[in-house]
Amino acid sequence: MREGIVAAAAELVFKSGARETSLDDVRHHVGASKSQLYHYCADKDEVPQAVIEFQGSRVIAEQQAELAAVNSWERLLAWRNKLVLLAEAYGKIGGCPMGSLANELAPYRQSHRTALTAGFQAGAGEIERALLALQACGALSAKFDPKSLSLLFLSTIQGGLLFAKLNGSAEALAKGLDQLIALIRNQE
Amino acid sequence: MREGIVAAAAELVFKSGARETSLDDVRHHVGASKSQLYHYCADKDEVPQAVIEFQGSRVIAEQQAELAAVNSWERLLAWRNKLVLLAEAYGKIGGCPMGSLANELAPYRQSHRTALTAGFQAGAGEIERALLALQACGALSAKFDPKSLSLLFLSTIQGGLLFAKLNGSAEALAKGLDQLIALIRNQE
DNA sequence: GCGAGAATGGACTGTCAGGTCCATTTATGG
DNA sequence: CCATAAATGGACCTGACAGTCCATTCTCGC
């Protein structure tokens, strides 16, 4: 039940924003009564917290296969394609599930910030591992620091998904990633 | 009077978010009565619209001196420094004034999207001009397309400022910009 | 089959925000 | 100095939403 509530909340929050989504919205969407909701959640602030964790693992799970398989530029491009595909499918609606939450909830609660930071670090870690693999097989120049580079990727993705949300098109994300990849690919 | 209302609204929205800022908050902050507010604004939706335009021109004005003066890598770095300085001063609080608004208001109203897109295009245009100047003086390789590159800069900045807001530090932005600049600087 | 505790339905309350309205005050032009 | 319109103060209405409460139903060990 709790999972259903969180999943519904995640969907609504993704579409309309955290502060815009009322508990009544979630309630109606999942077909639960008020007491059910308060049976599973202490208060309203618990919901975004749960949504952060939910989306954090979902977003990573969606890309892990592609990222873990990176051992060549082609495989990196496969990840890029997956990202653009996801952006085209969902990103135009709500941008990055984690980025939007971060933007909205960062000024609000320390616990939210902590959970969001953990999510982003996990994401950066996945990208870093892919870049390390790329260095191990000699594709990516050893002069790069995979950790910082992973943060640059994350920033680019966040920005790109923001524009996807704003313009309803993943083009900015695609172009940004392509340029970034081209830039690191052409360096000795 | 209207300017005062908009400026106060902009400040509060920057600190706490658009949907979080009530007209009463703005009212109290500027010391106006309810009828004054409704004398100058048709309804609540007019306020974010005005804030978008207000922040759009403010953000651009803040950087235009540095961007217009770019004619060498040093001058580009001066812009980078200004950006990091602004992020250190304000960005940790509310991230990018425009980016946060975009994130929150994009799902909401077409008129907001239009105004936000116009703001971002203006910003991208300024960056593009700087990059063109850099090509004109032979610093930046001619193989780059300044328009796409300006979008990559914008994405990186948006992402970096999101992390500034989340982590209370402009480090991610600084590192991101430095890496990006290094990448385009080392190419023929 | 029954009794205890969990799960549920939904009415109810308090608060807050958006918006309306009107009486009063303040400029402004003749 | 007055008439008119703009500007202001603030009471008031309405709806939405978070959260409470209690009566009822379900579930499960015994």
Side-chain angles (χ1 to χ4, degrees):
Chain A
M1 189 70 231
R2 184 164 205 271
E3 294 155 34
I5 294 173
V6 172
E11 187 188 332
L12 293 175
V13 165
F14 180 67
K15 279 199 289 203
S16 318
R19 313 293 296 173
E20 190 67 8
T21 303
S22 74
L23 290 183
D24 279 358
D25 292 338
V26 177
R27 227 156 61 71
H28 290 132
H29 197 260
V30 81
S33 76
K34 205 138 205 180
S35 34
Q36 275 184 74
L37 220 155
Y38 277 93
H39 186 76
Y40 294 106
C41 304
D43 57 14
K44 157 111 197 176
D45 284 344
E46 206 177 299
V47 177
Q49 188 75 23
V51 170
I52 292 172
E53 282 150 26
F54 178 86
Q55 295 284 34
S57 35
R58 203 179 62 85
V59 167
I60 288 191
E62 268 171 347
Q63 300 169 45
Q64 213 181 16
E66 281 78 7
L67 274 174
V70 168
N71 59 2
S72 64
W73 292 113
E74 285 67 37
R75 288 299 184 91
L76 190 75
L77 288 178
W79 168 59
R80 179 228 96 122
N81 289 337
K82 177 66 168 283
L83 224 50
V84 172
L85 211 74
L86 288 171
E88 205 63 58
Y90 308 111
K92 357 165 107 171
I93 301 169
C96 172
M98 290 295 276
S100 302
L101 284 168
N103 206 347
E104 215 172 341
L105 299 176
Y108 189 49
R109 287 204 157 236
Q110 180 57 46
S111 64
H112 296 158
R113 280 192 291 276
T114 312
L116 286 160
T117 301
F120 282 120
Q121 273 174 354
E126 296 292 324
I127 301 177
E128 186 188 346
R129 260 199 290 284
L131 295 173
L132 272 166
L134 232 40
Q135 282 184 327
C137 70
L140 176 67
S141 161
K143 77 176 179 190
F144 290 119
D145 171 27
K147 193 174 215 81
S148 336
L149 206 50
S150 72
L151 289 175
L152 179 56
F153 267 97
L154 252 194
S155 287
T156 307
I157 293 168
Q158 289 303 314
L161 282 169
L162 177 64
F163 292 127
K165 181 174 176 177
L166 180 60
N167 303 321
S169 149
E171 201 192 327
L173 176 68
K175 284 197 173 171
L177 282 173
D178 286 342
Q179 279 181 92
L180 187 52
I181 293 172
L183 281 170
I184 59 172
R185 204 169 166 172
N186 292 334
Q187 303 237 348
E188 192 42 49
Chain B
M1 189 72 233
R2 184 164 205 274
E3 294 155 32
I5 294 173
V6 172
E11 188 189 331
L12 293 175
V13 165
F14 180 67
K15 278 200 289 205
S16 319
R19 312 295 295 174
E20 190 65 11
T21 302
S22 74
L23 290 183
D24 279 357
D25 292 338
V26 178
R27 227 156 60 71
H28 290 131
H29 197 261
V30 81
S33 75
K34 205 139 207 178
S35 34
Q36 274 184 74
L37 220 154
Y38 278 92
H39 185 75
Y40 294 106
C41 304
D43 58 14
K44 157 111 195 176
D45 284 345
E46 206 177 300
V47 177
Q49 188 75 23
V51 170
I52 293 172
E53 282 150 26
F54 178 87
Q55 295 284 35
S57 34
R58 203 178 62 84
V59 167
I60 288 192
E62 267 172 348
Q63 301 170 45
Q64 213 181 16
E66 282 77 8
L67 274 174
V70 169
N71 59 3
S72 64
W73 291 113
E74 286 66 38
R75 289 300 185 89
L76 190 75
L77 289 178
W79 168 59
R80 180 228 96 121
N81 290 336
K82 177 67 170 280
L83 224 50
V84 172
L85 211 75
L86 289 171
E88 205 63 56
Y90 309 111
K92 357 164 109 173
I93 302 169
C96 172
M98 291 296 277
S100 302
L101 284 168
N103 205 354
E104 215 172 342
L105 300 176
Y108 190 50
R109 286 204 158 237
Q110 179 58 47
S111 63
H112 296 159
R113 280 192 290 277
T114 313
L116 286 159
T117 301
F120 282 119
Q121 274 174 353
E126 296 291 324
I127 301 177
E128 186 187 345
R129 260 199 290 283
L131 295 172
L132 272 165
L134 231 41
Q135 283 184 326
C137 69
L140 176 67
S141 160
K143 78 176 178 191
F144 290 119
D145 172 27
K147 194 176 216 80
S148 336
L149 207 49
S150 72
L151 290 174
L152 179 56
F153 266 96
L154 251 194
S155 287
T156 306
I157 293 169
Q158 288 304 313
L161 282 169
L162 177 64
F163 292 127
K165 182 174 176 176
L166 180 59
N167 303 321
S169 149
E171 202 192 326
L173 175 68
K175 284 197 174 173
L177 282 173
D178 287 341
Q179 279 182 92
L180 187 53
I181 293 173
L183 281 170
I184 60 173
R185 204 168 167 174
N186 292 334
Q187 304 238 348
E188 192 44 49

Coordinates of all heavy atoms in Angstrom, one line a residue, chain A residues 70-100:
Chain A
V70 N 29.7 -0.1 -20.3 CA 30.6 0.8 -21.1 C 32.0 0.3 -21.1 O 32.6 0.1 -20.1 CB 30.6 2.2 -20.6 CG1 31.7 3.1 -21.2 CG2 29.2 2.9 -20.8
N71 N 32.5 0.0 -22.4 CA 33.9 -0.4 -22.5 C 34.5 0.1 -23.8 O 35.5 -0.4 -24.3 CB 34.1 -1.9 -22.4 CG 33.3 -2.7 -23.4 OD1 32.6 -2.0 -24.2 ND2 33.4 -4.0 -23.3
S72 N 33.7 1.0 -24.4 CA 34.1 1.6 -25.7 C 33.3 2.9 -25.9 O 32.3 3.1 -25.3 CB 33.9 0.6 -26.8 OG 32.5 0.4 -26.9
W73 N 33.7 3.7 -26.9 CA 32.9 4.9 -27.2 C 31.5 4.5 -27.7 O 30.6 5.2 -27.4 CB 33.7 5.7 -28.3 CG 34.9 6.3 -27.8 CD1 36.2 6.1 -28.1 CD2 35.0 7.4 -26.8 NE1 37.1 6.8 -27.4 CE2 36.4 7.7 -26.6 CE3 34.1 8.1 -26.0 CZ2 36.9 8.6 -25.7 CZ3 34.5 9.0 -25.1 CH2 35.9 9.3 -24.9
E74 N 31.5 3.4 -28.4 CA 30.1 3.0 -28.9 C 29.2 2.7 -27.7 O 28.0 3.1 -27.8 CB 30.3 1.7 -29.7 CG 30.9 1.9 -31.1 CD 32.3 2.3 -31.0 OE1 33.0 1.8 -30.2 OE2 32.7 3.2 -31.8
R75 N 29.7 2.1 -26.7 CA 28.9 1.8 -25.6 C 28.5 3.0 -24.8 O 27.4 3.1 -24.2 CB 29.6 0.8 -24.6 CG 29.7 -0.6 -25.2 CD 28.3 -1.2 -25.4 NE 28.3 -2.6 -25.9 CZ 28.3 -3.6 -25.0 NH1 28.3 -3.5 -23.7 NH2 28.4 -4.9 -25.5
L76 N 29.4 4.0 -24.8 CA 29.1 5.3 -24.2 C 28.0 5.9 -24.9 O 27.0 6.5 -24.4 CB 30.3 6.2 -24.1 CG 30.1 7.4 -23.2 CD1 30.1 7.1 -21.7 CD2 31.1 8.5 -23.5
L77 N 28.0 5.8 -26.3 CA 27.0 6.4 -27.1 C 25.7 5.7 -26.9 O 24.6 6.3 -27.0 CB 27.4 6.4 -28.6 CG 28.5 7.4 -28.9 CD1 28.9 7.3 -30.4 CD2 28.1 8.8 -28.6
A78 N 25.7 4.4 -26.6 CA 24.5 3.7 -26.3 C 23.8 4.2 -25.1 O 22.6 4.4 -25.0 CB 24.8 2.2 -26.1
W79 N 24.7 4.6 -24.1 CA 24.1 5.2 -22.9 C 23.5 6.6 -23.2 O 22.4 6.9 -22.8 CB 25.2 5.4 -21.8 CG 24.8 6.3 -20.7 CD1 23.8 6.1 -19.8 CD2 25.5 7.5 -20.3 NE1 23.7 7.1 -18.9 CE2 24.7 8.0 -19.2 CE3 26.6 8.2 -20.7 CZ2 25.1 9.1 -18.5 CZ3 26.9 9.3 -20.0 CH2 26.2 9.8 -19.0
R80 N 24.2 7.3 -24.0 CA 23.7 8.6 -24.4 C 22.4 8.5 -25.1 O 21.4 9.2 -24.9 CB 24.7 9.3 -25.4 CG 24.3 10.6 -26.0 CD 24.4 10.7 -27.5 NE 23.2 10.3 -28.1 CZ 22.5 11.1 -29.0 NH1 23.0 12.3 -29.3 NH2 21.3 10.7 -29.5
N81 N 22.3 7.4 -26.0 CA 21.0 7.2 -26.7 C 19.9 6.9 -25.7 O 18.8 7.4 -25.8 CB 21.2 6.1 -27.7 CG 22.0 6.5 -28.9 OD1 22.2 7.7 -29.1 ND2 22.6 5.5 -29.5
K82 N 20.2 6.1 -24.7 CA 19.2 5.7 -23.7 C 18.7 7.0 -23.0 O 17.5 7.2 -22.8 CB 19.8 4.7 -22.7 CG 18.9 4.3 -21.6 CD 17.7 3.5 -22.1 CE 16.9 2.9 -21.0 NZ 17.5 1.7 -20.4
L83 N 19.7 7.8 -22.7 CA 19.3 9.0 -21.9 C 18.4 9.9 -22.8 O 17.4 10.5 -22.3 CB 20.7 9.8 -21.7 CG 20.9 10.4 -20.3 CD1 20.6 9.4 -19.2 CD2 22.3 10.9 -20.2
V84 N 18.8 10.1 -24.0 CA 18.0 10.9 -24.9 C 16.6 10.3 -25.1 O 15.6 11.0 -25.1 CB 18.7 11.1 -26.3 CG1 17.8 11.8 -27.2 CG2 20.0 11.9 -26.0
L85 N 16.6 9.0 -25.2 CA 15.3 8.3 -25.3 C 14.4 8.6 -24.1 O 13.2 8.9 -24.3 CB 15.5 6.8 -25.5 CG 14.5 6.0 -26.3 CD1 14.8 6.3 -27.8 CD2 14.7 4.5 -26.1
L86 N 15.0 8.4 -23.0 CA 14.2 8.7 -21.7 C 13.7 10.1 -21.7 O 12.6 10.4 -21.3 CB 15.1 8.4 -20.5 CG 15.4 6.9 -20.2 CD1 16.4 6.7 -19.1 CD2 14.1 6.2 -19.9
A87 N 14.6 11.0 -22.1 CA 14.3 12.4 -22.1 C 13.1 12.7 -23.0 O 12.2 13.5 -22.7 CB 15.5 13.3 -22.4
E88 N 13.2 12.0 -24.2 CA 12.1 12.2 -25.2 C 10.8 11.7 -24.6 O 9.7 12.3 -24.9 CB 12.5 11.5 -26.5 CG 11.9 12.1 -27.7 CD 12.3 13.5 -28.0 OE1 13.5 13.8 -28.1 OE2 11.4 14.4 -28.1
A89 N 10.9 10.6 -23.9 CA 9.7 9.9 -23.4 C 9.1 10.6 -22.2 O 7.9 10.9 -22.2 CB 9.9 8.5 -23.1
Y90 N 9.9 10.9 -21.2 CA 9.4 11.4 -20.0 C 10.0 12.8 -19.7 O 9.3 13.7 -19.1 CB 9.9 10.5 -18.8 CG 9.5 9.1 -19.0 CD1 10.5 8.1 -19.2 CD2 8.2 8.7 -19.0 CE1 10.2 6.8 -19.4 CE2 7.8 7.4 -19.2 CZ 8.8 6.4 -19.4 OH 8.5 5.1 -19.5
G91 N 11.2 13.0 -20.0 CA 11.9 14.3 -19.6 C 11.2 15.5 -20.1 O 11.2 16.5 -19.4
K92 N 10.5 15.5 -21.2 CA 9.8 16.7 -21.7 C 8.7 17.0 -20.7 O 8.3 18.2 -20.7 CB 9.2 16.5 -23.1 CG 9.5 15.3 -23.8 CD 8.5 15.2 -25.0 CE 9.2 15.5 -26.3 NZ 8.4 15.2 -27.4
I93 N 8.2 16.1 -20.0 CA 7.1 16.4 -19.1 C 7.7 17.0 -17.8 O 7.3 18.1 -17.5 CB 6.4 15.1 -18.7 CG1 5.8 14.4 -19.9 CG2 5.3 15.4 -17.7 CD1 5.3 13.0 -19.7
G94 N 8.6 16.3 -17.2 CA 9.0 16.8 -15.9 C 10.5 17.0 -15.7 O 11.0 17.1 -14.6
G95 N 11.2 17.0 -16.8 CA 12.7 17.1 -16.7 C 13.3 16.0 -16.0 O 12.9 14.8 -16.2
C96 N 14.3 16.2 -15.2 CA 14.9 15.1 -14.4 C 14.2 15.0 -13.1 O 14.0 15.9 -12.4 CB 16.4 15.5 -14.1 SG 17.2 14.3 -13.0
P97 N 13.7 13.8 -12.9 CA 12.9 13.5 -11.6 C 13.7 14.0 -10.4 O 13.1 14.6 -9.5 CB 12.7 12.0 -11.6 CG 12.9 11.6 -13.0 CD 13.9 12.5 -13.6
M98 N 15.0 13.7 -10.4 CA 15.8 14.2 -9.2 C 16.1 15.7 -9.3 O 16.0 16.4 -8.3 CB 17.1 13.4 -9.2 CG 16.9 11.9 -8.8 SD 16.2 11.7 -7.2 CE 17.7 11.8 -6.2
G99 N 16.4 16.2 -10.5 CA 16.7 17.6 -10.6 C 15.6 18.5 -10.2 O 15.8 19.4 -9.5
S100 N 14.4 18.1 -10.7 CA 13.2 18.9 -10.3 C 13.0 18.9 -8.8 O 12.7 20.0 -8.2 CB 12.0 18.4 -11.1 OG 12.3 18.5 -12.5

